[in-house]
Amino acid sequence: MINDSRTHGRCPMCDEIISAAHILVEYKKNNGATGIWAECLLCDDVVSPE
Ligand SMILES: [Zn+2]
């Protein structure tokens, strides 16, 4: 299992890897987890990486 701490998940729409440079916002979810909004260059849209 590969766990690269430099990435923050993949775009749920196109599966592109989201790198730290493309993160727009980090926030705390109600359950204490960290949520992210990031820009996907392929979709040209803001996504929530999975
Ligand atoms: Zn995408």
Side-chain angles (χ1 to χ4, degrees):
M1 182 172 167
I2 299 172
N3 187 1
D4 187 341
S5 62
R6 290 172 300 173
T7 65
H8 296 267
R10 290 172 177 268
C11 173
M13 292 184 279
C14 71
D15 210 33
E16 175 79 352
I17 294 174
I18 304 295
S19 69
H22 297 134
I23 292 177
L24 301 175
V25 177
E26 289 189 38
Y27 64 96
K28 280 286 186 185
K29 294 181 179 178
N30 290 335
N31 64 7
T34 301
I36 295 173
W37 290 109
E39 185 176 17
C40 176
L41 298 182
L42 290 187
C43 297
D44 194 23
D45 204 354
V46 176
V47 300
S48 179
E50 297 183 334

